[in-house]
Amino acid sequence: AQKVTQAQTEISVVEKEDVTLDCVYETRDTTYYLFWYKQPPSGELVLLIIRNSFDEQNEISGRYSWNFQKSTSSFNFTITASQVVDSAVYFCALSDAYSGAGSYQLTFGKGTKLSVIP
Amino acid sequence: NAGVTQTPKFRVLKTGQSMTLLCAQDMNHEYMYWYRQDPGMGLRLIHYSVGEGTTAKGEVPDGYNVSRLKKQNFLLGLESAAPSQTSVYFCASSYQDQRRGYTFGSGTRLTVV
């Protein structure tokens, strides 16, 4: 079965520091999708990125960047020059076809709580 | 606005009571899901549906039932609520094409006393 591990439960950084959130996944499928979601204190889930297994290019979006390494089954997320508004719980998730019943299922890691201190 | 709507947003139940959570989406998504979120556990899949009239069990289905009589609606029922079902429940929907991602509702905070 698929599995997502976010080893960092909580991280605290001082504003303007860079921070990397780790994500390691397991899947038997060759085609899969990886996601990062942000959950701010208000509770909603905000999609940050979708990446498919055939695209190993790293991606940058403003202060956010993602490093996808298939060889180590990792999909790490870096925030550059962190801000207080980045304080949230961040979830890494995996969607693959090996869930059976003809449906992809989104499997979440347990999340990393990031606190950015002013 | 288009999206996933969950009702109610908050609910307090007594042990043994029953209730139904409603999820409605207006994006013509084929797939719909119910997750629960507990502290330190991430989101765990309860049940899901790949189309009208079909449902399947997820990771933590015990104590819940679901129905999808219409494509746009996915109902989650608790027949006899237990304190262990205190949680935040999220509904989500998606196209079959995973590249288009999942859309989540804003959540229902349920407390069972």
Side-chain angles (χ1 to χ4, degrees), chain B residues 48-59:
Chain B
Y48 64 97
S49 169
V50 300
E52 186 177 319
T54 69
T55 63
K57 294 179 180 180
E59 180 185 354

Side-chain angles (χ1 to χ4, degrees), chain A residues 7-91:
Chain A
Q8 304 149 310
T9 305
E10 294 191 40
I11 300 176
S12 290
V13 298
V14 176
E15 201 171 20
K16 298 185 182 178
E17 286 185 345
D18 299 347
V19 59
T20 295
L21 309 182
D22 297 333
C23 173
V24 175
Y25 62 91
E26 296 176 26
T27 177
R28 287 183 284 179
D29 214 340
T30 56
T31 302
Y32 52 90
Y33 293 84
L34 294 163
F35 304 75
W36 275 95
Y37 282 90
K38 175 182 180 180
Q39 187 177 44
S42 53
E44 74 272 21
L45 288 159
V46 179
L47 176 66
L48 299 178
I49 190 171
I50 305 172
R51 174 53 51 89
N52 77 58
S53 54
F54 296 107
D55 182 2
E56 292 193 65
Q57 283 190 337
N58 292 329
E59 181 153 341
I60 298 174
S61 176
R63 296 184 297 106
Y64 296 167
S65 62
W66 290 269
N67 181 264
F68 177 31
Q69 293 203 347
K70 227 171 172 178
S71 60
T72 57
S73 297
S74 64
F75 187 44
N76 296 337
F77 172 37
T78 297
I79 301 175
T80 303
S82 59
Q83 300 176 1
V84 173
V85 293
D86 296 327
S87 295
V89 179
Y90 291 86
F91 291 100

Side-chain angles (χ1 to χ4, degrees), chain B residues 65-108:
Chain B
N65 56 76
V66 289
S67 64
R68 191 161 179 208
L69 300 179
K70 295 182 179 180
K71 185 177 184 178
Q72 63 268 33
N73 295 336
F74 195 29
L75 306 180
L76 178 70
L78 286 73
E79 290 187 348
S80 179
S84 60
Q85 294 177 304
T86 294
S87 188
V88 179
Y89 291 85
F90 284 95
C91 177
S93 66
S94 72
Y95 292 109
Q96 187 174 5
D97 181 355
Q98 298 296 287
R99 291 172 294 181
R100 302 175 76 172
Y102 296 70
T103 302
F104 281 85
S106 58
T108 296

Side-chain angles (χ1 to χ4, degrees), chain B:
Chain B
N1 291 335
V4 176
T5 303
Q6 291 183 232
T7 53
K9 295 191 184 306
F10 303 94
R11 185 72 185 269
V12 178
L13 280 181
K14 292 182 178 179
T15 298
Q17 286 186 321
S18 63
M19 77 162 295
T20 300
L21 280 66
L22 171 64
C23 177
Q25 54 95 2
D26 58 5
M27 296 167 286
N28 203 34
H29 284 168
E30 294 92 356
Y31 296 168
M32 296 187 75
Y33 314 82
W34 275 107
Y35 287 87
R36 61 177 288 173
Q37 183 180 17
D38 302 294
M41 298 297 293
L43 280 80
R44 294 179 293 169
L45 183 65
I46 305 171
H47 286 280
Y48 64 97
S49 169
V50 300
E52 186 177 319
T54 69
T55 63
K57 294 179 180 180
E59 180 185 354
V60 288
D62 293 342
Y64 305 94
N65 56 76
V66 289
S67 64
R68 191 161 179 208
L69 300 179
K70 295 182 179 180
K71 185 177 184 178
Q72 63 268 33
N73 295 336
F74 195 29
L75 306 180
L76 178 70
L78 286 73
E79 290 187 348
S80 179
S84 60
Q85 294 177 304
T86 294
S87 188
V88 179
Y89 291 85
F90 284 95
C91 177
S93 66
S94 72
Y95 292 109
Q96 187 174 5
D97 181 355
Q98 298 296 287
R99 291 172 294 181
R100 302 175 76 172
Y102 296 70
T103 302
F104 281 85
S106 58
T108 296
R109 185 173 293 275
L110 175 66
T111 302
V112 183
V113 298

